[in-house]
Amino acid sequence: MRIMVTGGAGFIGSAVCRHLVTKGEDFVLNVDALTYAGNLKSLRAIENRPNYAFLKANICDEPVILQAMRDHDIDAVMHLAAESHVDRSIDGPDVFLQTNVVGTFRMLSAARHYWSELSADRKQTFRFHHVSTDEVYGDLPFDSGIFTEETPYKPSSPYSASKAASDHLVRAWHHTYGLPVVLSNCSNNYGPFHFPEKLIPLVTLNALEGRELPVYGQGLNVRDWLFVEDHARALEAVIKKGRPGETYNIGGRSERSNIDVVRTICAILDQERPRLGKKYADQITFVTDRPGHDRRYAIDPTRIETELGWRAQETFESGLRRTIRWYLHNDWWWRSIRETDKGERRGMVHAG
C-alpha cells in the first residue's frame, strides 16, 4: 500500500513510520507540520529509505494535502496528527480545536475529493484511518467497568472533547458520503522517542537529574498502558484488515495506578543506574490534583484480538524496562528538547 501518515514525526506516528518502512512492504508519505512535539530525529533510521518520503505541511492546508495524495498516488490515509497533551489543552484549548477538529475536517474534505477521483476498484480498497484515544469515553470507577467500542462518549477535558468531535466527523463522512473509514481508540502509549513532557520520560529524566517527582493527588488515577511498537502493529492491522465504518479499541491489558508507574520507574532506575545510599523514590512528592482529572481508563481490546488477530507482545514490565534503557542510552535525542524552553514542561506527574 501507499500510505499517507499525518503526524508522522510525533511519538506514535514516528513509530508507525519506522514499523511500516522497515518491513518494506509499503510506501509511506509522512506529513507533519513539525510543531513542538514533531521531531525528524525520531525518523533518522528510515529517512533515506526508498519507500519513505517526508512532506512538511499543516493538515489544515487542504489544497496541499489533496495535491500530496494525488502526487503520491495514495491508497490509504492514517490520520494521527493531533494536539494530545491534556495539561496544554487546559491552559490553551484553542489550538486543540483548530488542529484536532478543523484539521480533521480538512483531512476528510481532501480525502473525499481524492477518493471521488479514483477508479471503482480503488474506491473499494481506499481507507481513511482515524486514530483516536480512550479519553473520549470519559472515565470509569476504580473498581468496575471497561471501555468497549459501544461505550457512550463522555469527554472530560478540552483535549478529549476535541478528539470526540473529530471521531464524530469521521463517522459522519462515512454515513453521509460513503467515505470508507476505520477508527481506532487507544489507551496510554509509552516507549522510545516519547516527548519528555509525558509521564514515563518525565519521571525518568527528572529522577536522573535529582528533581522532585510531583504526583497529582495521591497518584491513584489508573491508566491502561500500551507499548508504542505494539500499537504500531495494531494500526497496520486496522488499516489493512479493518472493516469500513468499524471502530477498534486498542489496549495493552496493563492497568496501573500513576503512583505504581512512578514507583516502578524508580525501582528500575535503582537497578539500571544505582546511586549510593539514595533511592529514586525519595524524590516523589504529592501535590494538589489538576482540574477534571479522570479516575480510571481501561480498554477491552477483544474485537481487534478476535477479528484482526492482533495481540500485545510486550508486558508493561518488559516494555517499561526497554523504554527506560532507551532513555538512558539515547540522550542525543532528548537532551536538546529538555534544554529548550518550548520542550520544558517539568511539572506534574500524571498520565492522560
Side-chain angles (χ1 to χ4, degrees), residues 59-60 96-107 169:
I59 58 172
C60 293
F96 285 75
L97 297 177
Q98 182 66 24
T99 300
N100 298 354
V101 183
V102 176
T104 299
F105 163 67
R106 296 299 179 192
M107 287 296 305
L169 286 175

Side-chain angles (χ1 to χ4, degrees), residues 302-321:
T302 299
R303 176 177 291 173
I304 189 172
E305 291 173 345
T306 56
E307 287 191 17
L308 306 185
W310 172 86
R311 294 287 191 285
Q313 295 179 354
E314 294 286 347
T315 66
F316 181 69
E317 287 71 24
S318 67
L320 185 60
R321 189 173 292 273

